[in-house]
Every structure is written in C-alpha cells, then in structure tokens.
C-alpha cells in the first residue's frame, strides 16, 4: 500500500501555510482516498502552530520540522528538513508544491532517498496506481506518467488544485528532530520588489494583458504611451491583477518605439511566452492572434477590449469582446474599481 506524504511550508511572510502547500494538501487527500492509502502531512517552518491547526480537519498524521533555522528558504536546512520528514513518514509517494522553496530542494531530497522526481504535475489520477499528468512541448502534448520506483516525488504546479480550507482546531504535531549540516548560508532577510515593480503575480485572480495597440497611433494621430502606462498600472493597483503582454508590445523595446517601461519579455503570454493560470483574463489593445491566445489555455473567463470587430478574440477565442476604445473604457473601469474600494 502506498504511504503518501504531502510536504508543506509556512509562508515566509506570515505563519500560515503557503497557498501552493494548501493546494498540495487537497491533492494528497484526494489521492489517499482514491488509493485507500495512508496520508501524512509534513510542515516546515519557524512556528508551525497555526499551520498545523489549519490542517487538523484533514485527519492526516501531522509531522513538523520547526525552529528558527527553518524560518526562511535555504538549501541546506530545507533539504535536511524534507529528508527527515520523508524518512519519518516512510513515504512512497511525496507530493510538494512547486514553490521556489521546494523546487530548489526536491530533486536533491529525492536523490538522497534513492527516489525519482517528476515536476510540473497538473493532475493526479488512477485508482490502482498513481498516474501523474503533465504537459510537454509548451502545453501542446499532455502526458500521463506512472512509475514503479519509490519514493516517487511529484511537484505540483500552482493553480491546479483547490486550496484546502478546513476549520482551524488546535492540534498536537509530531516534531521531527533534524541533524543540520554545517550551514554556509546566512539568511539576513527577505527583500521583495515594490508592489509596482512586481507585475507578474501567478496567484492573482485576474490576468490583464496589454497589447501593442496601447502604443499605436490613436484616432488623433498621436501615440499616448504615458497615458497607457497610467491606465494599466491604475488597473493593477485597484485589482492586484497579474500583467501579461503580447509579443509585439514587449518586442517594441528593442525597436526604439514607444514602450511601457514596466513590461519585459517575462510578461509575454503565448506560444513563445508563458501559459499562466488565472480564473479571469482581460485583454486590452491586443489582436488575439493564435500564437498569443494559445497562452490563454488555462484562463477561465476570457474577455477582450479591441477596436477591431474582426480581431481574433471575436472569432471564438474570447467569451466576451467589447468592441471599444480601451483609452475610453479603462479610465471608467478604474474609476468604478476605485469607488468600489473607497
Ligand atoms: C513563431 C511565432 C511565435 C509567436 N509567439 C507569440 C507569443 O508567444 N505571444 C504573442 O503575443 N505573440 C506571439 N507571436 C506574434 C503574434 O502572432 C502576434 O503578432 C502578436 O500577438 C500581435 O500582438 P498584438 O495583438 O498586441 O499587436 P497587433 O497585432 O498590432 O494588434 C493591436 C491591436 O490593438 C487594437 N487597438 C489599437 N488601439 C486600440 C484602442 N485604443 N482600444 C482597443 N484596441 C485597440 C488594434 O485594433 C489591434 O487589434 C508569435 C508569432 C510567431 C510567428
């Protein structure tokens, strides 16, 4: 019988479990029920009291590696913590969120335990054995993997499972002692970019896409890149949305054309860009061509604002298309959002 361990970690900013960890808990619970297997949840963090309380209703065995050394991400301490949890749980299947913290150590921990690892897992199936699904070749081919080797580590992509939410109840956790190796890295603090600087937010509810139309000549014969930037940032401020872009817009930077200074190729969505997961998406001033829209595969509700009634969005690629001038629509959207906030 499989012994399933879900590795989780406390958020580095507060003492709650990270969203990705809670998603992995849901995946673990579902898998354990389907396989009729035992479920253990391991928690890594400085203080795991509230994280454990949040998991009490799972009914799983709870293990923790806690203490100041585990407050922040560091390869040596995190790898030692995960290894100790895996050994204590005698895990055959290990699920973990694809957080930067666990992505960094998971392969190393699998190697220490003589196991194997697969990454970017989006779904888990199977009733007799574990079948892990992932996409290959930029989301074009979906593969289902099963393996004999144990322990088998599976890193779950963010946004693929519902975050577990149970009634918090104080609960005792089994503390696992860890023999720390010599630590060469001292974590002196966490420095995060200002909210304005960080425009890519994988956990955001909304994706706002800016297309090249924002910097094109408008009916008055002029470009309005400054105003475009203010409107886009205004929407991001009001909604904490994630910002995506078309390729044409981010490419303009290298062509000496008017650009939006907060956009880089990292924002690009599409065939040669990223394929993020958000419940809703709003495309603005973008034509909706196939190489761009292919990056919207995992966006739930797709809306677009375009001047062109024959754009790609109107050809079945969006749920709702507003044939309108984004320079007129977005100021009103932002005003409504701000008045709703006030
Ligand atoms: C191999 C390959 C890979 C590619 N990979 C990608 C990729 O990963 N991602 C990607 O995005 N593209 C990719 N492309 C390019 C893609 O085909 C398109 O050229 C690109 O997406 C067009 O960007 P756009 O819609 O922003 O610009 P445009 O095609 O210039 O469209 C601008 C739109 O803005 C509208 N507009 C202008 N002003 C306003 C206004 N005031 N209000 C509302 N609408 C307005 C216009 O009507 C127009 O529809 C790839 C192409 C190839 C060949």
């Amino acid at each position: 019988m499989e012994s399933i361990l879900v590795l989780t970690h406390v958020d580095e900013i507060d003492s709650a479990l990270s969203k990705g960890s809670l998603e992995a808990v849901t995946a673990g619970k579902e898998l354990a029920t389907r396989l009729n297997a035992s479920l253990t949840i391991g928690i890594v963090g400085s203080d795991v009291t509230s994280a454990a309380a949040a998991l009490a209703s799972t009914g799983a065995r709870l293990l923790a590696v806690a203490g100041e050394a585990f407050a922040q991400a560091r390869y040596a301490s995190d790898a030692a913590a995960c290894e100790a949890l895996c050994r204590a749980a005698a895990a055959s299947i290990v699920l973990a969120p694809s957080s930067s913290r666990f992505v960094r150590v998971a392969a190393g921990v699998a190697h220490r335990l003589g196991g194997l690892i697969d990454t970017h897992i989006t779904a888990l199936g199977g009733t007799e054995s574990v079948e892990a699904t992932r996409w290959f070749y930029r989301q074009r081919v979906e593969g289902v993997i099963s393996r004999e080797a144990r322990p088998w580590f599976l890193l779950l992509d963010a946004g693929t499972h519902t975050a577990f939410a149970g009634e918090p109840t104080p609960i005792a956790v089994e503390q696992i002692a860890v023999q720390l190796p010599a630590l060469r890295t001292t974590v002196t603090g966490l420095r995060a970019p200002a909210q304005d600087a960080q425009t890519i937010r994988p956990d955001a509810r909304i994706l706002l896409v800016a297309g090249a139309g924002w910097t094109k000549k408008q009916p008055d014969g002029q470009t309005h890149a400054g105003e475009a930037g203010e409107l886009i940032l205004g929407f991001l401020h009001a909604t904490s949305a994630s910002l995506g872009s078309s390729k044409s817009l981010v490419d303009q930077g290298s062509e000496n054309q008017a650009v939006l200074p907060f956009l880089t190729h990292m924002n690009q969505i599409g065939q040669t860009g990223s394929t993020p997961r958000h419940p809703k998406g709003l495309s603005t001033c973008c034509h909706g061509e196939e190489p761009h829209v292919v990056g919207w595969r995992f966006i739930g509700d797709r809306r677009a604002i375009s001047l062109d009634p024959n754009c790609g969005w109107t050809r079945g690629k969006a749920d709702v298309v507003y044939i309108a001038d984004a320079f007129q629509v977005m100021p009103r959207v932002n005003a409504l959002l701000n008045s709703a906030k006030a």
Side-chain angles (χ1 to χ4, degrees):
M1 194 174 78
E2 301 284 11
S3 161
I4 299 168
L5 169 68
V6 180
L7 288 173
T8 66
H9 62 81
V10 166
D11 204 297
E12 285 170 42
I13 292 159
D14 54 33
S15 58
L17 283 173
S18 68
K19 180 166 174 281
S21 295
L22 292 168
E23 288 183 19
V25 168
T26 302
K29 263 176 69 71
E30 289 173 1
L31 186 65
T33 306
R34 234 181 11 258
L35 298 180
N36 200 16
S38 66
L39 178 65
T40 305
I41 303 175
I43 314 168
V44 180
S46 161
D47 177 0
V48 299
T49 320
S50 57
L55 297 175
S57 62
T58 59
R61 180 185 173 201
L62 298 183
L63 308 177
V65 171
E68 205 38 51
F70 307 99
Q72 282 175 341
R74 169 180 38 209
Y75 188 92
S77 44
D78 282 346
C82 292
E83 181 185 353
L85 288 168
C86 291
R87 290 193 192 283
S92 60
I93 300 288
V94 181
L95 308 181
S98 292
S99 59
S100 60
R101 188 165 186 174
F102 278 169
V103 163
R104 195 152 54 141
V105 299
V109 177
H111 181 71
R112 288 181 192 186
L113 292 161
L116 285 178
I117 182 164
D118 283 287
T119 59
H120 291 294
I121 302 303
T122 53
L124 295 168
T127 45
E128 300 300 315
S129 63
V130 183
E131 294 170 2
T133 302
R134 67 157 291 174
W135 293 84
F136 294 92
Y137 190 48
R138 287 214 161 267
Q139 332 294 345
R140 283 192 185 78
V141 180
E142 194 180 30
V144 179
I145 311 161
S146 56
R147 290 189 186 276
E148 297 291 318
R150 298 288 183 273
W152 186 19
F153 284 64
L154 296 159
L155 282 182
L156 306 175
D157 265 359
T160 53
H161 292 83
T162 315
F164 174 78
E167 190 59 41
T169 315
I171 189 168
V173 188
E174 292 173 54
Q175 300 285 341
I176 305 300
V178 172
Q179 196 69 42
L180 278 176
L183 298 176
R184 289 182 302 172
T185 307
T186 308
V187 182
T188 56
L190 191 66
R191 209 186 290 171
Q195 224 206 354
D196 290 3
Q198 181 53 279
T199 58
I200 300 170
R201 300 170 181 145
D203 287 339
R205 283 188 56 244
I206 303 175
L207 168 73
L208 175 73
V209 159
W214 280 114
T215 55
K216 293 258 167 78
K217 279 190 183 158
Q218 293 301 309
D220 63 359
Q222 307 293 317
T223 59
H224 298 276
E227 191 188 337
E230 281 171 28
L231 289 171
I232 293 165
L233 289 179
F235 184 86
L236 297 187
H237 273 141
T239 57
S240 295
S242 188
L243 179 62
S245 173
S246 70
K247 181 166 166 31
S248 293
L249 183 56
V250 286
D251 279 354
Q252 284 174 8
S254 52
E255 300 296 336
N256 290 331
Q257 293 182 38
V259 287
L260 301 175
F262 45 83
L263 278 173
T264 72
H265 280 95
M266 296 294 287
N267 295 91
Q268 185 183 317
I269 307 290
Q271 180 183 336
T272 44
S274 63
T275 313
R277 291 167 194 272
H278 300 278
K280 292 184 174 189
L282 175 63
S283 156
T284 53
C285 296
C286 166
H287 197 72
E289 286 181 27
E290 182 59 22
H292 174 74
V293 179
V294 74
W296 283 62
R297 181 177 294 234
F298 302 122
I299 306 298
D301 179 321
R302 306 168 173 201
R303 299 190 178 206
I305 306 171
S306 173
L307 278 178
D308 186 353
N310 287 316
C311 70
W313 298 113
T314 60
R315 295 167 185 253
K317 299 220 163 91
D319 300 299
V320 179
V321 186
Y322 307 95
I323 304 301
D325 184 340
F327 279 94
Q328 289 181 18
V329 176
M330 291 310 285
R332 293 177 65 179
V333 170
N334 287 351
L336 284 171
L337 286 167
N338 289 329
S339 65
K341 257 185 155 183

